[in-house]
C-alpha cells in the first residue's frame, strides 16, 4: 500500500524524546507513505500543548492528528501521564494512541491498556524491523480501521 491509495494524507503525531528514534521513525513512515504529515514533539508537556493548541502552539492552526505514537519514557511529563490526560479529555480521547517504547515491562503494557492505549509496541531493534512496523501500522490504522472524521 502507498499513500497514493488513500483518499487524503494522514496526520501522525510522534512524541519521543530520543532524536535518533524520531529521525528513524519519520524516515520509515516517509519511505512507505511519502505524503504523510508527521509532527514531532519531545515530551508529554509539548504533546499536550500541541493537542490543545496552547503554549508554543497557541497560534497554530494545525489539525488534530489521526494517530499518536507515544513513547512512555520522556522528561517533564512522561507518556504514561500524557496518555491518561489524552484519554480523560473528551476532545482528544477519540485519537488512537499507539505506545511505541523501549519498555516491555508487563506493568507498562497492562497500565497502558488500562489507561486507554489502542496498541502497545516495543520499539524494534533494527531499522528493517522499524520499516516493517511502519508499513503494518500504516496499513492497519489508515486502510483497515475506520477513523473518526472529527478533525
Amino acid at each position: 500500500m502507498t499513500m497514493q491509495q488513500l483518499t487524503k494524507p494522514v496526520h501522525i503525531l510522534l512524541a519521543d524524546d530520543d532524536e535518533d528514534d524520531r529521525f528513524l521513525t519519520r524516515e520509515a513512515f516517509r519511505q512507505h507513505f511519502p505524503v504523510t504529515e508527521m509532527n514531532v514533539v519531545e515530551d508529554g508537556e509539548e504533546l499536550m500543548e500541541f493537542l490543545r493548541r496552547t503554549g508554543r502552539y497557541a497560534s497554530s492552526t494545525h489539525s488534530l492528528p489521526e494517530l499518536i505514537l507515544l513513547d512512555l519514557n520522556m522528561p517533564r511529563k512522561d507518556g504514561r501521564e500524557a496518555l491518561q490526560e489524552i484519554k480523560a479529555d473528551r476532545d482528544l480521547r477519540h485519537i488512537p494512541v499507539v505506545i511505541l517504547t523501549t519498555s516491555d515491562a508487563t506493568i507498562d503494557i497492562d497500565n497502558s491498556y488500562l489507561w486507554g492505549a489502542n496498541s502497545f509496541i516495543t520499539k524494534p531493534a533494527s531499522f528493517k524491523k522499524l520499516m516493517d512496523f511502519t508499513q503494518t501500522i500504516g496499513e492497519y490504522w489508515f486502510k483497515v480501521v475506520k477513523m473518526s472524521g472529527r478533525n
Side-chain angles (χ1 to χ4, degrees):
M1 180 184 82
T2 64
M3 283 299 295
Q4 289 75 14
Q5 294 171 309
L6 301 175
T7 58
K8 66 181 183 88
V10 176
H11 182 192
I12 299 171
L13 178 58
L14 171 63
D16 196 317
D17 65 318
D18 186 282
E19 185 177 351
D20 291 335
D21 287 349
R22 289 191 311 264
F23 174 78
L24 292 172
T25 303
R26 283 182 102 162
E27 285 304 306
F29 269 99
R30 198 172 282 144
Q31 292 210 12
H32 289 295
F33 311 107
V35 297
T36 297
E37 177 186 349
M38 182 174 285
N39 293 100
V40 295
V41 295
E42 296 182 14
D43 59 50
E45 286 287 330
E46 187 180 358
L47 170 65
M48 298 314 297
E49 287 177 2
F50 183 94
L51 293 172
R52 293 183 173 139
R53 295 180 187 99
T54 60
R56 71 188 90 184
Y57 299 99
S59 62
S60 178
T61 59
H62 64 267
S63 62
L64 287 174
E66 292 155 293
L67 180 68
I68 297 171
L69 301 176
L70 180 61
D71 185 22
L72 291 181
N73 302 310
M74 298 183 293
R76 297 196 308 157
K77 180 180 291 188
D78 70 14
R80 295 163 189 86
E81 296 169 289
L83 174 62
Q84 291 174 72
E85 237 180 279
I86 291 165
K87 293 306 180 176
D89 187 315
R90 54 181 235 144
D91 294 326
L92 302 175
R93 72 177 71 149
H94 71 280
I95 303 170
V97 177
V98 173
I99 303 300
L100 181 59
T101 189
T102 56
S103 175
D104 62 359
T106 301
I107 191 144
D108 284 335
I109 296 167
D110 292 346
N111 284 338
S112 293
Y113 285 119
L114 179 69
W115 296 326
N118 298 88
S119 297
F120 187 102
I121 299 167
T122 301
K123 287 181 182 177
S126 70
F127 187 68
K128 161 102 176 74
K129 288 182 179 179
L130 181 61
M131 289 287 293
D132 293 343
F133 156 76
T134 56
Q135 182 171 14
T136 301
I137 204 80
E139 288 178 0
Y140 178 75
W141 283 108
F142 306 128
K143 190 171 185 184
V144 175
V145 172
K146 298 292 183 202
M147 303 294 284
S148 169
R150 296 183 69 175
N151 287 341

